[in-house]
Coordinates of all heavy atoms in Angstrom, one line a residue:
K10 N -6.6 -5.3 1.4 CA -7.2 -4.6 2.5 C -6.2 -3.5 3.0 O -5.5 -3.6 4.0 CB -7.4 -5.6 3.7 CG -8.2 -6.7 3.4 CD -8.2 -7.8 4.5 CE -8.8 -9.1 4.0 NZ -8.6 -10.1 5.0
R11 N -6.3 -2.4 2.3 CA -5.4 -1.2 2.6 C -5.7 -0.6 3.9 O -4.8 -0.1 4.6 CB -5.5 -0.2 1.5 CG -5.0 -0.6 0.1 CD -5.2 0.4 -0.9 NE -5.7 -0.1 -2.1 CZ -5.8 0.5 -3.2 NH1 -5.5 1.8 -3.3 NH2 -6.3 -0.1 -4.2
N12 N -6.9 -0.5 4.3 CA -7.3 0.2 5.5 C -6.8 -0.4 6.8 O -6.7 0.2 7.8 CB -8.8 0.4 5.6 CG -9.3 1.4 4.6 OD1 -8.6 2.4 4.3 ND2 -10.6 1.3 4.1
E13 N -6.4 -1.7 6.7 CA -5.9 -2.4 7.8 C -4.4 -2.3 8.0 O -3.8 -2.7 9.0 CB -6.3 -3.9 7.8 CG -7.8 -4.1 7.8 CD -8.2 -5.5 7.7 OE1 -7.4 -6.4 7.9 OE2 -9.4 -5.8 7.4
F14 N -3.7 -1.7 7.0 CA -2.3 -1.6 7.1 C -1.9 -0.5 8.0 O -2.4 0.6 8.0 CB -1.7 -1.2 5.6 CG -0.3 -1.1 5.6 CD1 0.6 -2.1 5.7 CD2 0.3 0.2 5.5 CE1 2.0 -1.9 5.7 CE2 1.7 0.4 5.5 CZ 2.5 -0.7 5.6
D15 N -0.9 -0.7 8.9 CA -0.3 0.3 9.8 C 1.1 -0.1 10.0 O 1.5 -1.0 10.7 CB -1.1 0.3 11.0 CG -0.6 1.5 12.0 OD1 0.3 2.2 11.6 OD2 -1.2 1.6 13.1
C16 N 2.0 0.8 9.5 CA 3.5 0.6 9.7 C 4.0 1.5 10.8 O 5.2 1.4 11.1 CB 4.2 0.8 8.4 SG 4.2 2.5 7.8
G17 N 3.1 2.3 11.4 CA 3.6 3.2 12.4 C 3.9 4.6 11.9 O 4.2 5.5 12.7
K18 N 3.9 4.8 10.6 CA 4.2 6.1 10.0 C 3.0 6.5 9.3 O 2.6 6.0 8.2 CB 5.4 6.0 9.0 CG 6.7 5.4 9.6 CD 7.4 6.5 10.4 CE 8.7 6.0 10.9 NZ 9.4 7.0 11.7
E19 N 2.3 7.6 9.8 CA 1.1 8.0 9.2 C 1.2 8.4 7.7 O 0.3 8.1 6.9 CB 0.6 9.2 10.0 CG -0.8 9.6 9.6 CD -1.4 10.8 10.5 OE1 -0.8 11.1 11.5 OE2 -2.5 11.2 10.1
L20 N 2.3 9.0 7.3 CA 2.5 9.5 6.0 C 2.5 8.2 5.0 O 1.9 8.3 4.0 CB 3.8 10.2 5.9 CG 4.1 10.9 4.5 CD1 3.1 11.9 4.1 CD2 5.5 11.5 4.5
L21 N 3.2 7.2 5.4 CA 3.3 6.0 4.6 C 2.0 5.2 4.6 O 1.6 4.7 3.5 CB 4.4 5.1 5.1 CG 5.8 5.6 5.0 CD1 6.8 4.7 5.6 CD2 6.2 5.9 3.6
N22 N 1.3 5.2 5.7 CA -0.1 4.6 5.8 C -1.0 5.3 4.8 O -1.7 4.6 4.1 CB -0.6 4.6 7.2 CG 0.1 3.8 8.2 OD1 0.9 2.8 7.8 ND2 0.0 4.1 9.4
N23 N -1.0 6.6 4.9 CA -1.9 7.4 4.1 C -1.6 7.3 2.6 O -2.5 7.3 1.8 CB -1.9 8.8 4.5 CG -2.6 9.1 5.8 OD1 -3.4 8.2 6.3 ND2 -2.3 10.2 6.5
Y24 N -0.4 7.2 2.2 CA 0.0 7.0 0.8 C -0.6 5.7 0.3 O -1.3 5.7 -0.8 CB 1.5 7.0 0.6 CG 1.8 6.7 -0.9 CD1 1.7 7.7 -1.8 CD2 2.1 5.5 -1.3 CE1 1.9 7.5 -3.2 CE2 2.3 5.2 -2.7 CZ 2.2 6.2 -3.6 OH 2.4 6.0 -4.9
L25 N -0.5 4.6 1.0 CA -1.0 3.4 0.6 C -2.6 3.4 0.5 O -3.2 2.9 -0.4 CB -0.6 2.2 1.5 CG -1.0 0.8 1.1 CD1 -0.4 0.4 -0.3 CD2 -0.7 -0.2 2.1
K26 N -3.1 4.0 1.5 CA -4.6 4.0 1.6 C -5.3 4.9 0.6 O -6.4 4.6 0.1 CB -5.0 4.4 3.0 CG -4.7 3.3 4.1 CD -5.0 3.8 5.5 CE -4.5 2.8 6.5 NZ -4.7 3.3 7.9
F27 N -4.7 6.1 0.4 CA -5.4 7.1 -0.4 C -4.7 7.5 -1.7 O -5.4 7.9 -2.7 CB -5.5 8.4 0.4 CG -6.2 8.2 1.7 CD1 -5.5 8.3 2.9 CD2 -7.5 7.7 1.8 CE1 -6.1 8.1 4.1 CE2 -8.1 7.5 3.0 CZ -7.5 7.7 4.2
Q28 N -3.4 7.4 -1.9 CA -2.7 7.9 -3.1 C -2.2 6.9 -4.0 O -2.2 7.1 -5.2 CB -1.6 8.8 -2.6 CG -0.9 9.6 -3.7 CD -1.9 10.6 -4.3 OE1 -2.6 11.3 -3.6 NE2 -1.9 10.7 -5.7
A29 N -1.8 5.7 -3.5 CA -1.2 4.7 -4.4 C -2.0 4.3 -5.6 O -1.6 4.2 -6.7 CB -0.8 3.5 -3.6
G30 N -3.3 4.1 -5.3 CA -4.3 3.7 -6.4 C -4.4 4.8 -7.5 O -4.4 4.5 -8.7
Q31 N -4.4 6.0 -7.1 CA -4.5 7.1 -8.0 C -3.2 7.2 -8.9 O -3.3 7.5 -10.1 CB -4.7 8.4 -7.3 CG -6.1 8.5 -6.6 CD -6.2 9.8 -5.8 OE1 -5.6 10.8 -6.2 NE2 -7.0 9.8 -4.8
D32 N -2.1 7.0 -8.2 CA -0.8 7.0 -9.0 C -0.7 5.9 -10.0 O -0.2 6.1 -11.1 CB 0.4 7.0 -8.0 CG 0.6 8.3 -7.2 OD1 -0.1 9.3 -7.5 OD2 1.5 8.2 -6.3
I33 N -1.3 4.8 -9.6 CA -1.3 3.6 -10.5 C -2.2 3.9 -11.7 O -1.8 3.7 -12.9 CB -1.7 2.3 -9.8 CG1 -0.7 1.9 -8.8 CG2 -2.0 1.2 -10.8 CD1 -1.1 0.9 -7.8
K34 N -3.4 4.4 -11.5 CA -4.3 4.8 -12.6 C -3.7 5.8 -13.5 O -3.9 5.7 -14.7 CB -5.6 5.3 -12.0 CG -6.5 4.3 -11.4 CD -7.7 4.9 -10.8 CE -8.5 3.9 -9.9 NZ -9.6 4.5 -9.2
R35 N -2.9 6.7 -13.0 CA -2.3 7.8 -13.8 C -1.0 7.3 -14.4 O -0.3 8.1 -15.1 CB -2.2 9.1 -13.0 CG -3.5 9.6 -12.6 CD -3.4 11.0 -12.0 NE -2.2 11.4 -11.4 CZ -2.0 11.9 -10.2 NH1 -3.0 12.0 -9.3 NH2 -0.8 12.3 -9.7
K36 N -0.6 6.1 -14.2 CA 0.6 5.5 -14.7 C 1.9 6.3 -14.2 O 2.8 6.3 -14.9 CB 0.6 5.3 -16.2 CG -0.6 4.4 -16.6 CD -0.5 4.2 -18.1 CE -1.8 3.6 -18.5 NZ -1.9 2.3 -18.8
L37 N 1.8 6.8 -13.0 CA 3.0 7.4 -12.4 C 3.9 6.5 -11.7 O 5.0 6.8 -11.5 CB 2.5 8.6 -11.5 CG 1.7 9.7 -12.1 CD1 1.2 10.7 -11.1 CD2 2.6 10.4 -13.2
S38 N 3.3 5.4 -11.2 CA 4.1 4.4 -10.5 C 3.3 3.0 -10.5 O 2.2 3.0 -10.9 CB 4.3 4.9 -9.0 OG 3.0 4.9 -8.3
V39 N 4.0 2.1 -10.0 CA 3.4 0.8 -9.7 C 3.7 0.5 -8.2 O 4.7 1.0 -7.6 CB 3.9 -0.4 -10.5 CG1 3.5 -0.2 -12.0 CG2 5.4 -0.6 -10.4
C40 N 2.8 -0.2 -7.5 CA 3.0 -0.5 -6.1 C 2.9 -2.0 -5.9 O 1.9 -2.6 -6.4 CB 1.9 0.3 -5.4 SG 2.0 0.0 -3.6
F41 N 3.8 -2.5 -5.2 CA 3.8 -3.9 -4.9 C 3.6 -4.1 -3.3 O 4.1 -3.3 -2.6 CB 5.2 -4.6 -5.2 CG 5.5 -4.6 -6.6 CD1 6.1 -3.5 -7.2 CD2 5.2 -5.7 -7.4 CE1 6.4 -3.5 -8.6 CE2 5.4 -5.7 -8.8 CZ 6.1 -4.6 -9.4
V42 N 2.8 -5.0 -2.9 CA 2.5 -5.3 -1.6 C 3.0 -6.7 -1.1 O 3.0 -7.6 -2.0 CB 1.0 -5.1 -1.2 CG1 0.5 -3.7 -1.4 CG2 0.2 -6.1 -2.1
M43 N 3.5 -6.8 0.1 CA 3.9 -8.1 0.6 C 2.8 -8.5 1.6 O 2.4 -7.8 2.4 CB 5.2 -8.0 1.4 CG 5.7 -9.3 1.9 SD 7.3 -9.2 2.8 CE 6.8 -8.3 4.3
L44 N 2.3 -9.7 1.3 CA 1.1 -10.2 2.0 C 1.5 -11.3 3.0 O 2.4 -12.1 2.8 CB 0.1 -10.7 1.1 CG -0.4 -9.8 0.0 CD1 -1.3 -10.5 -1.0 CD2 -1.2 -8.6 0.6
D45 N 0.8 -11.3 4.2 CA 1.0 -12.4 5.1 C 0.4 -13.7 4.4 O -0.7 -13.6 3.9 CB 0.2 -12.1 6.4 CG 0.3 -13.2 7.4 OD1 1.3 -13.2 8.1 OD2 -0.6 -14.1 7.4
K46 N 1.1 -14.7 4.5 CA 0.8 -16.0 3.8 C -0.6 -16.5 4.3 O -1.4 -17.0 3.5 CB 1.8 -17.0 4.1 CG 1.6 -18.3 3.2 CD 2.6 -19.4 3.6 CE 4.1 -18.9 3.3 NZ 5.0 -20.0 3.6
H47 N -1.0 -16.3 5.5 CA -2.2 -16.9 6.1 C -3.4 -15.9 6.0 O -4.5 -16.3 5.6 CB -2.0 -17.4 7.5 CG -0.9 -18.5 7.5 ND1 -1.0 -19.7 7.0 CD2 0.4 -18.4 8.0 CE1 0.1 -20.4 7.2 NE2 1.0 -19.6 7.8
S48 N -3.2 -14.7 6.5 CA -4.3 -13.8 6.6 C -4.5 -13.0 5.4 O -5.5 -12.3 5.3 CB -4.0 -12.8 7.8 OG -2.9 -12.0 7.5
Q49 N -3.5 -12.9 4.5 CA -3.5 -12.1 3.3 C -3.5 -10.6 3.6 O -3.8 -9.7 2.7 CB -4.7 -12.4 2.4 CG -4.7 -13.8 1.8 CD -3.5 -14.0 0.9 OE1 -3.3 -13.2 -0.1 NE2 -2.6 -14.9 1.1
N50 N -3.2 -10.2 4.8 CA -3.0 -8.8 5.2 C -1.7 -8.2 4.7 O -0.7 -8.9 4.6 CB -3.0 -8.6 6.7 CG -4.4 -8.8 7.3 OD1 -5.5 -8.7 6.6 ND2 -4.5 -9.2 8.6
I51 N -1.7 -6.9 4.3 CA -0.5 -6.3 3.8 C 0.5 -6.1 5.0 O 0.1 -5.6 6.0 CB -0.9 -4.9 3.2 CG1 -1.8 -5.1 2.0 CG2 0.4 -4.2 2.8 CD1 -2.3 -3.8 1.4
Q52 N 1.7 -6.6 4.8 CA 2.7 -6.5 5.8 C 3.7 -5.4 5.4 O 4.4 -4.9 6.3 CB 3.5 -7.8 5.8 CG 2.6 -9.0 6.3 CD 2.1 -8.8 7.7 OE1 2.8 -8.7 8.6 NE2 0.8 -8.8 7.7
G53 N 3.8 -5.0 4.2 CA 4.7 -3.9 3.7 C 4.4 -3.6 2.2 O 3.6 -4.4 1.6
Y54 N 5.0 -2.6 1.7 CA 4.8 -2.2 0.3 C 6.0 -1.5 -0.2 O 6.8 -0.9 0.6 CB 3.5 -1.5 0.1 CG 3.5 0.0 0.5 CD1 3.9 1.0 -0.4 CD2 3.2 0.3 1.8 CE1 3.9 2.3 0.0 CE2 3.2 1.6 2.2 CZ 3.5 2.6 1.3 OH 3.5 3.9 1.7
Y55 N 6.2 -1.4 -1.5 CA 7.2 -0.5 -2.1 C 6.6 -0.1 -3.5 O 5.7 -0.7 -4.1 CB 8.5 -1.2 -2.3 CG 8.6 -2.4 -3.2 CD1 9.0 -2.2 -4.5 CD2 8.4 -3.7 -2.7 CE1 9.1 -3.3 -5.4 CE2 8.5 -4.7 -3.6 CZ 8.9 -4.6 -4.9 OH 9.0 -5.6 -5.7
T56 N 7.1 1.0 -3.9 CA 6.6 1.6 -5.2 C 7.8 1.8 -6.1 O 8.9 2.0 -5.7 CB 5.9 2.9 -5.0 OG1 6.7 3.9 -4.5 CG2 4.6 2.7 -4.2
L57 N 7.5 1.7 -7.4 CA 8.5 2.0 -8.4 C 7.9 3.2 -9.3 O 6.7 3.0 -9.7 CB 8.8 0.8 -9.3 CG 9.5 -0.4 -8.6 CD1 9.6 -1.5 -9.6 CD2 10.8 0.0 -8.1

């Protein structure tokens, strides 16, 4: 659920919501998300 993610930084929120998937498809990066154990909501992310 990318649209529910909000870290307080618009640039980082927008990257996850709109750009990360495109970068993965183009094999430019991989993105890992940390999920809340109970709600499965994204709590944070990092890319390589």
